[in-house]
Each structure stands twice: as structure tokens, then as C-alpha cells.
Amino acid sequence: MRTEQSKTIYLKDYQAPDYLIDETHLTFELFEDHTLVHAQLVMRRNPALSADLPALTLDGQQLELLELKLDDRELTAADYTLTDSHLTLQPTQASFVIDSSVRIHPESNTALEGLYKSSGMFCTQCEAEGFRKITYYLDRPDVMSKFTTTLSAEQHSYPVLLSNGNPIASGSEEGGRHWATWEDPFMKPAYLFALVAGDLWCVEDKFTTLSSRDVTLRIYVEPENIDKVQHAMDSLKKSMKWDEEVYGREYDLDIFMIVAVNDFNMGAMENKGLNIFNSSCVLARAETATDAAHQRVEAVVAHEYFHNWSGNRVTCRDWFQLSLKEGFTVFRDAEFSADMNSRTVKRIEDVAYLRTHQFAEDAGPMAHPVRPDAYMEISNFYTLTIYEKGSEVLRMIHTLLGNEAFRKGSDLYFERHDGQAVTCDDFVKAMEDASGIDLTQFKRWYTQAGTPRLAVSETFDAVAKTYTLNFTQSCPATPGQSDKLPFVIPVELGLLDARGNDLPLRLQGEAAASGTSRVLSVTEAQQSFTFVDIAEQPLPSLLRGFSAPVKLSFPYDRDQLMFLMQHDSDGFNRWEAGQQLSVQVLQELIGQHQRGEQLVLDQRLVTALRTLLQDESLDQAMVAEMLSLPGEAYLTEISEVADVDAIHNAREFARQQLAEALFEPLWQRYQANRELSRNTAYVAEAEHFARRSLQNIALSYLMLTGKPQVLAATLEQYEACDNMTERLTALAVLVGSKFEVERGKALEAFAEHFKDNALVMDQWFSVQAASTLPDGLARVRVLMEHPAFTLKNPNKVRALIGAFAGQNLVNFHAADGSGYRFLADQVIVLNALNPQIASRLLAPLTRWRKYGSERQALMKAELERILASGELSADVYEVVSKSLA
Ligand code: ARG
Ligand code: ZN
């Protein structure tokens, strides 16, 4: 457990590797009760360093060393030093070969890192530092090697044997075993290594690249899931084509494989030529996966495929550079999804997620820059900051450079660094060199943590016909960073006249107006921009498309927000105006609740939403997004001190009032859309997602009225629909309703029907875990005893415990501290089973500073209890100790 790795690693200590590994030849003998790994490493002194020969220290954990040779000479214990994380020996020549044999135990590996078993198959997860649990190695991304891998296993149980690259030989052995050899022609770091052995079926397809090469595409799944693969295959082909068209990137091997596994810590992994996926990110068909699940599969397939260039061909020098590949690849997959579906809706979803979750991370004890400069356990840095904020940083570069220069920059980056392990600085340099734009100050986004605040005020001079926007930026202190320097903040904006039209924009000093939506770069702590030829007081539309990940404030009144909701030419900002209006209204209700007053809903919100519902010309997905009130987690994030009960009560009160006041238009839109759903076969496309999203949010409002015709409609939808999107919504609506009998029946029928489908059962757990009816914790405890639940499967942990702590805020934050105690208990158990999952699960407790003093004390006490609970993994130790610091 926590030994050498609990010390802090610093970026400033980076040193190039002393030795390189030109070739890696691996042989795996897979057995039921152990696995033997033989590694032959063809090594040499790093020629960039001096000619002397320092000691060679290989990484290795939980390995039983059976044999070690240096250039064919058997080494004895006197020739090397062995600790629980390293093997050190002394080379005698500049070039040499190391042979090692180790025994490992994938069959009892519950951490799901390195080689492990999942539902009877062998698979690997090596990023970030899992390869050291497979064999002794230089397990760092700047050591790149050419891999050849042979695996052998019992043929009947493991008919499929896969690794990276191309298959080059195979055969059978006596005793019912067989073997296969794979060769990967591309140099790669160990974190991109993968192997799979199992009883799998595959769907095969083909893609012809831009330069007319045929690539075989295979998606491997357990036999019973073979009917749920087509959507992922379609998504893969779309991704391959998109990367050619938008980035000029072609696939480079003759075969590309995806394997779905049931036990996986994250979403998926981009191993060269052999992506390994959480089955939740591959399997999708109408009857068992929601629209959201279909979109997630499309996005994750794209993400991992895009890594072949942004990650594999050009990789990271060290793990501090993680966002180099993750931020860039998230930006790429977000743009892909925007092109495949509705661009505005995708942006709304991403921004809502970022502002709720990444902003909370940036304001908490684990806040870190996009390029961190220190960590204890790198697994803790696969964060919203590295991924989502990293993607926002790339989006800002794209905004500042424009599409054409950005593409030139990415071409230059790939050309300059193909086959290399590089840094975020190298990426930015390529963007600068290709565009001629200096990004020196911009790079503060990589080094300063925290969410910048941007306060905006206006001055209008009717006589001079000038309109001035005054910007003031600041950034709160974060751990280890008390003072921040100004960021470069691209602010896209427009100015609306009294009829809601965009005015032509001409800044003081410019010869003529250019455009009606422009990007201003705010680079100073305080800065003003004056527009000329402005005859009447305009209304500004600021930060269009959320052009920077900041907290912008402008003193809009509610009537102005209603005006923007209707007239802003930027779809994102129409939604944003609605959110700001809702926030103002909800914060007023929260105040009323806290003062013990009667709650009174501002009727302007009712009017605004009625206008939307009655306008049939609007994009239905947009209407659905605009009907969704800001979530409790977002209201928590923007509170100074979060009052859990007031937030919940205020929001529920508003929903109830809206449901009653808007019953007629909601009912009409619901029925029209349900009618269409009834008469249309399921299609996983944007227009259909849109129809169902409006239908489903309408139903969830309607049920708040408790009217019998809504119950009847919900039951009809539940029973008669042909897809999981409608069925799960109907179930969730029943679960949150007062109709106890129908709720019980539906839950039981659902579980009976889907008991053999683990991913659907995850949804069944989540719907119940998220129900804010009283006694939530008791229900979760009962569900933990359900035969389909196990702490060993990360999807189950997330679906039940994660959903309870993350989505059921009133129950999790019960004033008696029972929710906190429960979560800490689970973290303590998981710490021993699966440290990565344990450390992620405890995130809600780390936010204790957000709450009132009683809850703070209860949450801290649980963190302290975890700290004192015994030997902690580095993962849990880092998060708990930083949270208490
Ligand atoms: N590189 C993967 C992705 O984002 C993430 C895998 C990281 N896994 C882990 N256990 N840290 O596509
Ligand atoms: Zn990734």
C-alpha cells in the first residue's frame, strides 16, 4: 500500500531517462491461478546523456521475481536491489539486454490496474502506471519502445488472444492451450500496451482511408452482447472520416479493435490498435440504452479513436502533461459530437457540466492547474480540470487563432512531433509558430488554478454615441497559489438594439464596423472597450458560446434576461439568459425559505417558459434545455454557503408551480411528442433525441401535479414504448411520484425483465439512488444487498453509491450525518479493493467548506475517520490529507 509512492512528485524534478528500451518482447502464459510474464528488454544508455553508466532502476510492483538475466548472464540476489516498487542493477555496457520472468495474479486483482480478469476474460489497463504491475520496466511515457507480444492460454475458455498491432503468428500447444503473437510496428510507451484473452465474439467492418488503404474494424464483446455493437461501429466509422476531414489525420495500422469489458475504472482506454472500453461506453441499442447512452458511446468511441494521433503518435513527456493529450482530445471529441448532433445543445450540456463540477473542483482542496506541478498519485489527476477545463483551454486557442490558423497549428504539431513524447509548451509553440500569434500570457491558463471572475459594467454616452464595456478580472486563491496574474480571456459578444437585432460593431479607433459578433481579448486586470456609432442604449450579449471558462457577472435585470432569452442571435446565450433568470428567481426563493417566509415564484419565469412552450418553431431540444432549471449541485456551487434544504425546497417549489401553471402547454407538447414516438421506430439521431427530450422533461413536470391522466400516460409510456429512453424516464417519474403502488410494481417488473443486463440494472439502481423522497439512505442500504449489486464492479459503485452522494443531495447531506458516515464506510472498504474508485467516490466529502458549520464538522469527522482507518492507498491518502489541510 502506501510506501514509496506517497511522496510528492514535482514537475521541476523532471529528468530525461538514463536508459532507453528499443525493443520489448513479452510472453504471457495465462493460467487460472497465476500468470507468468517473460520480458526481454533491448536497452541502451540514453545517447543524449553522458557516456558513463549509472545504475538502472526499473519500476515494478506486486511482482514475484522468478528469474533475471543481464546479457544472458543469470543474476543472483547479490547483483541487484529489490524493493516493493523498484529493481535496481548495474549495467556494464552501453547496450544490453535484460530478461526477466515474474509471476503475477490477475485473478485476484480487484484494483483493475495492470493485468486483471473481468467476467472471465483477461484484460489490461496500463495508463497511467499499471504496466509496472505486469513486469519490471521503465514505466514512464517518455520511454518508447517497439513491442512484440506473445500470449498463451487454454483454448476453450480463451479462444480470442489479442494485443497491439498486427497478428503475425499463432498456433496450438499440447494440453489444449494455444498462442498468438502480435507485433506493433509503432514505438509506444508502456501505458499504451494492452492484451485481451477471452471468449469473445466480434462484429467486423471495414474503413477505406483517404489514401485508399483498407482497415479492418473489429468490436469484441461477450457473445450475448453481439446485438448491441452496431451503434459503436457506426460511430467509429464516422470518427475515422471526421478526423480525416477536419484534422487531415488517417489511421495507420491495418486493423483497429475495440474490446468491451464489464469491470473498468474509467470510460475507455486508447491502447494502440486495441482500445479497451467499459462496456457502458460500447453497448447500445434502443431497447436497453438511453439516448444519452447512445450519445456517450458515440463520443467515447470518437475520443479513444482520436487519441491515435493526439496521444499515441504524439504522446506526453511526463504525466504533468496529461492535458496535452486529454484536453486536446476532449476538444476534438466535443467538436465531433457538435458536428454529428446539435452544436448548441452539445455546448449547453458541456458548459452546464463544467460549471457544476469542474468549477467546484477548481474551488476545492484538490484544485490544480491544467498542467499541475506536483502530485502524489497520478490516478487522482484524471480530473475534470485536466479533461474539461483542458478542452476549454484548447477551445480558447481555437477562438483566438480562428479555424484556419488552428488547423495549421495542429498540422505543424503533428508533423513536428510525430513519434515523440512532448509537453504542453511544445503544443502551444506549434500554435504560435503556425499563426504568428504570441501566446505567452495565454499560457497562464496552464499554470494557474482556479476559476477567473470577470465582472462587467457598462457606460452609455447618448451624446457621443459611444458605449463602453468595463471588464475587471480576478481569480481566487487556490492551494499553493495565493496571487494570480491576469489571464487572456476571449470574450465573444454582441450588442442588441431595442428590437433585438445585433448592432454592427465598431471599436473606437477602427475605420469601419466589422461584424455583429466579435471576440475581444481581455488581458488586463481592468480594461475597457468603447464601441462607437451606438445611437441608443444597447443590451450586451456577453461571453457568447461560453467563449472562456470564467464566472462572468453583469447586472442584468429579469426583464433584460427575458429579452435575451427571446432575441439573442446566439443560441447558447439564449439558454444562458434563461439560466440566469432561473438562478435569480431561485435565489429569491432560497432567501424566502431561509427567512421562514411564504415562497412566492416570480411569474416572469412562468411567462418566459410559456412563451417557449408555445413557439413550435423552436428547436425542441433547446426548449427542453431551457425548461430544465439549474440543478441543485450548480446552485450549491454558486452559493457562498450552501443551504442544502433551502436549495432543494426552493427548486422543488418552483418546479411544482411551473407544472401547475403550465399544465396545458406541457400536456399538449407531451401528447404530441408521445404520439410521434409511438408511431416512429427508434432512431439514434439528433432530431429524435430532441423530440424525446422535450417529451420526457414535460412528463417529469406533469407528474408533479399528481393528476390521474398523467399517471395513466406515464404507465402507457412505460409499457408501450420501444426504447429505454422513454421507459427509464417513465420509471424515474414513477419513482419520484406519490403513486407508491405503481412505483413498486414498475420497479419490480423492470428488474425482472432486465435482471440479466448489468448495464440496464445500473440504471435501475441509479434511478432509485437519486430519488429525493425521504429515507434515501435506507433505500440505498437495501439495494446494496440486491444480488445484482457488488462493490467490485465500478459501474455498480457509481450507479448506486455515486448517484446517491452526487445526485441525491438532500438525503446525502441529511443533518444527522448519516449520509457522510455511509460514504466514508464505503470508501474505507473500497480503499482496499480498488483505490482509484475509493478516491473518486470520496469527492463529495472534500467539499465540506461549502456548507454550514454543523455539516462541516460532520464531514470533516468522516474524513478524519478515513485517515485513521488503517493503511491507506496513495490515492485515498492524497485526497483525504489535502482536503483536511
Ligand atoms: N486515457 C484514457 C482516456 O481518457 C483514460 C484512462 C485512464 N485510466 C486510469 N485508470 N487512470 O481516454
Ligand atoms: Zn482520453
Side-chain angles (χ1 to χ4, degrees):
M1 284 271 165
R2 188 156 55 86
T3 50
E4 280 184 58
Q5 69 266 43
S6 66
K7 61 176 199 284
T8 301
I9 320 273
Y10 296 93
L11 170 58
K12 64 174 164 47
D13 295 341
Y14 173 82
Q15 290 194 331
D18 286 334
Y19 292 94
L20 307 180
I21 309 178
D22 293 321
E23 291 172 38
T24 302
H25 302 280
L26 301 170
T27 304
F28 291 81
E29 297 176 64
L30 305 165
F31 299 100
E32 290 312 309
D33 58 355
H34 71 284
T35 288
L36 298 175
V37 185
H38 313 280
Q40 180 173 82
L41 312 180
V42 180
M43 302 192 61
R44 69 189 151 103
R45 172 76 169 136
N46 185 347
L49 304 176
S50 66
D52 62 337
L53 297 178
L56 166 67
T57 298
L58 299 169
D59 304 295
Q61 282 173 19
Q62 298 162 36
L63 308 174
E64 182 191 344
L65 182 61
L66 303 174
E67 189 177 46
L68 184 64
K69 288 185 193 165
L70 175 59
D71 288 327
D72 278 333
R73 184 172 69 86
E74 187 97 32
L75 299 186
T76 65
D79 300 318
Y80 56 84
T81 322
L82 202 54
T83 71
D84 61 4
S85 54
H86 293 108
L87 168 63
T88 305
L89 57 86
Q90 184 57 56
T92 52
Q93 305 170 70
S95 295
F96 54 95
V97 176
I98 291 186
D99 280 280
S100 72
S101 299
V102 301
R103 188 191 331 265
I104 56 177
H105 291 281
E107 72 283 356
S108 57
N109 177 352
T110 57
L112 313 183
E113 189 187 40
L115 179 63
Y116 64 96
K117 287 195 82 173
S118 174
S119 307
M121 65 192 271
F122 288 92
C123 61
T124 53
Q125 171 55 40
C126 294
E127 187 179 1
E129 298 181 336
F131 195 74
R132 62 189 62 190
K133 294 173 154 190
I134 291 177
T135 191
Y136 287 103
Y137 205 75
L138 294 176
D139 188 7
R140 44 187 290 169
D142 57 354
V143 171
M144 299 172 80
S145 184
K146 199 168 157 271
F147 281 68
T148 314
T149 305
T150 298
L151 7 28
S152 76
E154 199 271 317
Q155 178 147 24
H156 182 75
S157 303
Y158 308 100
V160 174
L161 303 174
L162 310 174
S163 190
N164 317 88
N166 303 308
I168 55 168
S170 61
S172 21
E173 293 168 358
E174 67 223 67
R177 293 177 65 82
H178 71 146
W179 60 274
T181 300
W182 291 76
E183 185 183 71
D184 184 352
F186 290 94
M187 303 282 278
K188 67 168 177 287
Y191 84 86
L192 290 173
F193 170 79
L195 76 74
V196 167
D199 183 4
L200 301 165
W201 286 9
C202 80
V203 167
E204 183 171 312
D205 209 326
K206 166 184 106 159
F207 180 82
T208 306
T209 70
L210 207 57
S211 59
S212 305
R213 277 189 316 104
D214 279 347
V215 181
T216 300
L217 311 176
R218 288 202 190 123
I219 301 183
Y220 288 90
V221 295
E222 292 173 290
E224 68 263 31
N225 289 326
I226 199 73
D227 61 343
K228 305 183 188 72
V229 178
Q230 193 55 46
H231 180 67
M233 184 62 88
D234 293 341
S235 303
L236 175 59
K237 289 192 282 182
K238 287 182 196 169
S239 308
M240 296 178 85
K241 191 158 173 4
W242 188 90
D243 212 14
E244 291 182 343
E245 284 171 356
V246 179
Y247 280 86
R249 300 290 119 201
E250 263 188 72
Y251 187 62
D252 50 12
L253 285 163
D254 298 332
I255 180 164
F256 184 81
M257 298 172 284
I258 290 176
V259 179
V261 308
N262 296 325
D263 303 280
F264 201 79
N265 284 342
M266 312 245 307
M269 180 64 212
E270 69 265 22
N271 317 299
K272 184 78 188 187
L274 179 58
N275 287 188
I276 296 182
F277 273 57
N278 187 324
S279 51
S280 71
C281 298
V282 181
L283 305 177
R285 63 177 288 125
E287 296 81 0
T288 52
T290 61
D291 291 348
H294 279 80
Q295 286 168 272
R296 175 146 171 85
V297 167
E298 182 181 79
V300 178
V301 166
H303 179 98
E304 306 309 333
Y305 173 73
F306 295 156
H307 267 316
N308 190 55
W309 276 96
S310 50
N312 301 1
R313 290 289 288 254
V314 183
T315 192
C316 302
R317 187 193 72 174
D318 54 72
W319 292 121
F320 298 101
Q321 321 296 329
L322 182 57
S323 197
L324 171 75
K325 73 179 178 80
E326 296 304 346
F328 189 17
T329 305
V330 172
F331 175 63
R332 277 150 56 68
D333 83 57
E335 285 297 292
F336 166 76
S337 293
D339 284 346
M340 296 300 120
N341 301 289
S342 157
R343 176 164 285 273
T344 306
V345 170
K346 169 68 178 161
R347 190 68 188 137
I348 289 169
E349 288 168 356
D350 287 351
V351 171
Y353 186 72
L354 180 90
R355 287 205 295 215
T356 302
H357 302 290
Q358 195 278 327
F359 281 17
E361 181 171 279
D362 237 349
M366 285 292 291
H368 55 275
V370 166
R371 194 196 61 204
D373 35 36
Y375 61 76
M376 282 186 201
E377 170 52 61
I378 186 57
S379 295
N380 284 329
F381 285 78
Y382 285 73
T383 58
L384 296 154
T385 300
I386 302 296
Y387 279 69
E388 324 308 323
K389 187 176 182 178
S391 164
E392 295 299 322
V393 169
L394 266 282
R395 181 176 298 280
M396 288 189 285
I397 296 179
H398 183 273
T399 301
L400 292 168
L401 268 60
N403 196 49
E404 206 176 306
F406 184 88
R407 168 66 194 271
K408 275 195 196 144
S410 88
D411 285 352
L412 181 60
Y413 168 72
F414 288 127
E415 181 193 306
R416 204 179 255 179
H417 298 297
D418 191 8
Q420 298 176 6
V422 303
T423 65
C424 298
D425 290 330
D426 294 319
F427 180 87
V428 175
K429 184 79 169 59
M431 287 289 159
E432 289 182 316
D433 290 351
S435 67
I437 292 175
D438 181 350
L439 295 169
T440 311
Q441 186 188 346
F442 180 85
K443 289 211 292 187
R444 289 175 188 160
W445 283 106
Y446 284 95
T447 55
Q448 298 187 143
T451 306
R453 310 279 190 269
L454 188 59
V456 191
S457 67
E458 62 180 355
T459 349
F460 176 60
D461 184 336
V463 180
K465 294 190 182 165
T466 60
Y467 178 75
T468 301
L469 286 169
N470 311 297
F471 294 88
T472 305
Q473 63 161 306
S474 61
C475 184
T478 47
Q481 294 186 335
S482 45
D483 299 306
K484 314 284 168 94
L485 296 168
F487 291 86
V488 175
I489 302 178
V491 180
E492 183 174 348
L493 55 77
L495 301 177
L496 276 65
D497 69 15
R499 289 172 315 285
N501 296 320
D502 278 327
L503 292 166
L505 301 178
R506 180 177 158 208
L507 282 169
Q508 211 155 50
E510 288 179 345
S514 74
T516 55
S517 199
R518 297 181 49 163
V519 179
L520 303 182
S521 278
V522 177
T523 58
E524 313 284 329
Q526 293 199 7
Q527 202 169 350
S528 296
F529 294 86
T530 298
F531 295 94
V532 298
D533 305 333
I534 307 287
E536 51 169 309
Q537 169 97 35
L539 186 60
S541 164
L542 300 164
L543 210 68
R544 283 180 163 171
F546 202 64
S547 57
V550 300
K551 289 190 177 180
L552 182 135
S553 57
F554 180 85
Y556 289 116
D557 66 35
R558 294 183 199 177
D559 296 317
Q560 291 174 324
L561 291 169
M562 287 176 73
F563 186 83
L564 288 172
M565 270 176 92
Q566 282 202 47
H567 298 290
D568 201 317
S569 60
D570 182 68
F572 176 85
N573 266 14
R574 281 200 301 280
W575 170 80
E576 173 63 5
Q579 292 291 293
Q580 286 191 38
L581 174 64
S582 303
V583 165
Q584 286 195 18
V585 170
L586 289 167
Q587 283 178 336
E588 183 173 68
L589 293 171
I590 290 168
Q592 291 165 354
H593 184 276
Q594 288 170 329
R595 293 187 299 272
E597 295 166 13
Q598 169 146 31
L599 304 194
V600 185
L601 182 73
D602 185 335
Q603 290 303 305
R604 283 175 287 193
L605 186 59
V606 178
T607 308
L609 298 187
R610 176 177 290 120
T611 310
L612 287 169
L613 275 168
Q614 285 169 342
D615 187 346
E616 305 225 345
S617 71
L618 297 175
D619 170 9
Q620 306 204 66
M622 277 294 286
V623 177
E625 291 291 351
M626 294 183 79
L627 285 174
S628 312
L629 297 181
E632 291 180 19
Y634 180 63
L635 294 166
T636 299
E637 208 290 308
I638 60 176
S639 305
E640 198 61 47
V641 177
D643 183 337
V644 178
D645 307 291
I647 288 174
H648 179 68
N649 281 298
R651 189 171 181 278
E652 285 309 302
F653 173 80
R655 289 195 344 117
Q656 182 75 37
Q657 295 279 303
L658 290 168
E660 278 159 22
L662 300 174
F663 187 86
E664 276 315 317
L666 285 165
W667 183 237
Q668 202 202 322
R669 304 275 332 233
Y670 171 74
Q671 285 186 307
N673 284 17
R674 171 66 192 130
E675 178 71 24
L676 274 169
S677 296
R678 238 193 319 266
N679 299 324
T680 322
Y682 181 90
V683 187
E685 276 172 15
E687 194 190 314
H688 298 254
F689 297 151
R691 182 188 76 237
R692 286 186 289 267
S693 64
L694 180 54
Q695 173 190 332
N696 284 331
I697 191 164
L699 185 62
S700 63
Y701 271 110
L702 290 164
M703 185 55 107
L704 296 173
T705 66
K707 295 193 188 195
Q709 72 258 47
V710 178
L711 175 62
T714 307
L715 294 173
E716 186 279 331
Q717 172 165 326
Y718 178 77
E719 278 151 22
C721 66
D722 69 348
N723 64 82
M724 185 51 73
T725 305
E726 290 185 273
R727 181 155 291 129
L728 193 69
T729 300
L731 182 72
V733 160
L734 285 170
V735 164
S737 80
K738 61 172 191 187
F739 299 108
E740 252 177 85
V741 178
E742 287 79 1
R743 175 203 315 160
K745 272 199 205 156
L747 280 170
E748 207 176 306
F750 190 98
E752 179 53 30
H753 192 249
F754 292 109
K755 62 177 181 297
D756 296 326
N757 187 321
L759 296 175
V760 178
M761 289 305 284
D762 290 344
Q763 304 296 310
W764 183 80
F765 283 118
S766 282
V767 157
Q768 296 176 79
S771 160
T772 57
L773 296 179
D775 294 323
L777 178 58
R779 286 194 303 276
V780 170
R781 285 190 189 281
V782 170
L783 287 168
M784 284 184 67
E785 303 302 318
H786 191 279
F789 184 81
T790 165
L791 277 179
K792 290 194 175 161
N793 176 258
N795 289 355
K796 290 281 172 292
V797 172
R798 283 184 280 258
L800 186 54
I801 306 170
F804 173 71
Q807 291 167 44
N808 195 345
L809 301 185
V810 264
N811 278 299
F812 173 64
H813 290 280
D816 63 1
S818 54
Y820 308 148
R821 210 149 46 240
F822 166 75
L823 190 67
D825 286 341
Q826 306 314 316
V827 168
I828 290 167
V829 176
L830 279 161
N831 172 66
L833 277 178
N834 186 330
Q836 287 184 22
I837 297 300
S839 134
R840 273 163 198 277
L841 199 62
L842 80 87
L845 286 174
T846 68
R847 313 265 194 262
W848 58 270
R849 284 183 182 82
K850 262 282 167 207
Y851 300 91
S853 55
E854 292 88 11
R855 284 190 170 101
Q856 284 202 3
L858 291 165
M859 294 173 92
K860 265 170 79 175
E862 294 307 324
L863 288 167
E864 274 152 8
R865 189 163 66 86
I866 295 171
L867 197 59
S869 69
E871 238 188 307
L872 290 185
S873 58
D875 309 61
V876 171
Y877 176 78
E878 177 171 35
V879 175
V880 174
S881 60
K882 288 184 175 172
S883 304
L884 287 169

